[in-house]
């Protein structure tokens, strides 16, 4: 398996897995050049981005984030998933200080900042709109230069309306294009200069794999966005299934 190269063109294509997934069972199976390297360094020789899911469950240490940034190439980008203590309370009640702390901790990613993934659970509906807007406000207060591409994944269809899109645009954020069957978002034109695709498996259960025909359709859309100069983040979360195979197939189909 060769490294998925950073695609050159008007836009930038960042692709990886949701959580660090490798094509080998253990370190003994690493290529000789990576026997003394970290899992992340080996992963970064194959792909140019990682969706850090662990930060959803446990906020890392700033020193750890700083170390990670030294273990990957210059064109690598990290996406961090916002901690569940912020996004998964009912009804989206959170402390501003927790957001501020999270943003401070991931700041050492430096020039390797990619996207910030904000995922709401299915139980969080449009009636939490005020809190949703406040969350984006706090995030941008912590990131006034908009170094992070903020992407929101909704898991309830009540969010898909004009008011949501207007707030996303106002805070230079976008909506995640995902394929969970019960909450798959409609087609819309994103106002931000970036796109975020998240593949959860054909049945939305993190299993199985996608057909080449289906991935060709997504690749065509990605190529169009890249030609428009957009940054495109793509992550496969079907890690119980064929995430690596699908990632390689899609990346081979994306040409700029």
């Amino acid at each position: 398996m060769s490294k998925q190269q950073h695609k050159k063109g008007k836009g930038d294509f960042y692709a990886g897995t949701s959580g660090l997934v490798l094509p080998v069972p253990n370190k003994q199976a690493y290529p000789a050049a990576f026997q003394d390297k970290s899992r992340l360094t080996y992963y970064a020789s194959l792909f140019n981005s990682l969706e850090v899911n662990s930060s959803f469950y446990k906020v890392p240490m700033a020193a750890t984030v700083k170390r990670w940034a030294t273990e990957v190439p210059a064109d690598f980008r990290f996406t961090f998933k916002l901690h569940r203590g912020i996004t998964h309370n009912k009804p989206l009640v959170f402390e501003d200080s927790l957001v501020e702390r999270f943003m401070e901790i991931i700041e050492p990613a430096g020039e390797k900042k990619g996207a910030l993934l904000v995922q709401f659970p299915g139980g969080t509906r449009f009636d939490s709109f005020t809190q949703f807007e406040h969350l984006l406000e706090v995030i941008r207060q912590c990131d006034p230069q908009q170094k992070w591409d903020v992407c929101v994944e909704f898991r309830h269809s009540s969010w898909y309306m004009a008011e949501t899109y207007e707030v996303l645009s106002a805070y230079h954020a976008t909506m995640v294009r995902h394929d969970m069957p019960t909450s798959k978002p409609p087609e819309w034109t994103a106002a931000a200069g970036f796109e975020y695709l998240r593949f959860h498996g054909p049945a939305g259960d993190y299993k199985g794999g996608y057909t080449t025909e289906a991935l060709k359709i997504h690749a065509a859309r990605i190529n169009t966005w890249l030609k428009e100069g957009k940054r495109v983040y793509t992550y496969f979360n079907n890690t119980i299934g064929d995430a690596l195979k699908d990632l390689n197939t899609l990346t081979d189909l994306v040409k700029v």
Side-chain angles (χ1 to χ4, degrees):
M1 186 181 298
S2 60
K3 180 176 180 179
Q4 305 299 349
Q5 294 295 328
H6 180 74
K7 298 295 180 181
K8 300 300 181 183
K10 288 185 178 180
D12 295 312
F13 178 53
Y14 299 108
T17 54
S18 299
L20 200 160
V21 181
L22 293 174
V24 294
N26 51 52
K27 196 161 189 174
Q28 286 67 41
Y30 285 15
F34 295 94
Q35 287 288 328
D36 62 343
K37 306 295 183 183
S38 69
R39 294 178 72 243
L40 176 59
T41 297
Y42 177 36
Y43 173 94
S45 74
L46 304 172
F47 313 113
N48 70 356
S49 192
L50 172 68
E51 184 183 88
V52 181
N53 268 344
S54 59
S55 57
F56 174 75
Y57 300 100
K58 182 179 180 181
V59 180
M61 295 175 60
T64 301
V65 174
K66 185 176 182 178
R67 187 186 76 244
W68 288 345
T70 68
E71 294 178 345
V72 297
D75 66 350
F76 193 93
R77 294 294 180 269
F78 288 99
T79 284
F80 284 90
K81 188 174 179 181
L82 194 60
H83 190 259
R84 60 183 175 180
I86 298 167
T87 59
H88 278 53
N89 299 317
K90 294 182 179 180
L92 193 52
V93 174
F94 61 89
E95 296 179 17
D96 291 9
S97 60
L98 294 181
V99 181
E100 293 161 358
R101 177 173 174 265
F102 189 94
M103 298 301 291
E104 182 179 352
I105 284 173
I106 64 175
E107 174 62 27
E111 295 301 313
K112 289 152 190 175
K113 292 183 178 74
L116 176 68
L117 172 61
V118 181
Q119 180 201 302
F120 295 143
T124 297
R125 306 185 179 192
F126 186 76
D127 55 11
S128 295
F129 180 83
T130 300
Q131 282 296 97
F132 155 64
E133 184 172 12
H134 181 58
L135 176 56
L136 292 185
E137 179 184 19
V138 177
I139 289 172
R140 283 309 185 201
Q141 286 174 348
C142 297
D143 180 34
Q145 295 182 320
Q146 300 179 357
K147 296 292 187 180
W148 292 100
D149 289 334
V150 179
C151 306
V152 184
E153 183 178 73
F154 299 106
R155 294 286 183 90
H156 194 274
S157 59
S158 62
W159 288 99
Y160 305 140
M161 58 177 60
E163 291 90 337
T164 300
Y165 308 148
E166 289 169 4
V167 167
L168 288 170
S169 178
Y171 288 97
H172 195 64
T174 197
M175 189 163 64
V176 173
R177 299 178 190 267
H178 69 83
D179 58 0
M180 278 291 189
T182 59
S183 57
K184 183 178 178 180
E187 286 301 314
W188 84 102
T189 301
F194 49 91
E195 298 279 355
Y196 197 112
L197 291 86
R198 208 163 184 238
F199 295 93
H200 296 297
D205 58 0
Y206 316 110
K207 301 176 183 177
Y210 297 87
T211 64
T212 299
E213 289 70 26
L215 294 175
K216 282 181 178 178
I217 294 173
H218 291 293
R221 300 170 77 202
I222 292 170
N223 281 325
T224 297
W225 291 327
L226 293 175
K227 289 175 183 176
E228 293 172 353
K230 289 188 173 185
R231 290 181 296 283
V232 181
Y233 300 90
T234 301
Y235 300 101
F236 284 87
N237 197 23
N238 55 328
T239 51
I240 301 176
D242 300 328
L244 291 177
K245 176 177 177 290
D246 293 338
L247 172 56
N248 280 299
T249 299
L250 180 67
T251 306
D252 287 342
L253 291 168
V254 173
K255 304 196 182 297
V256 180

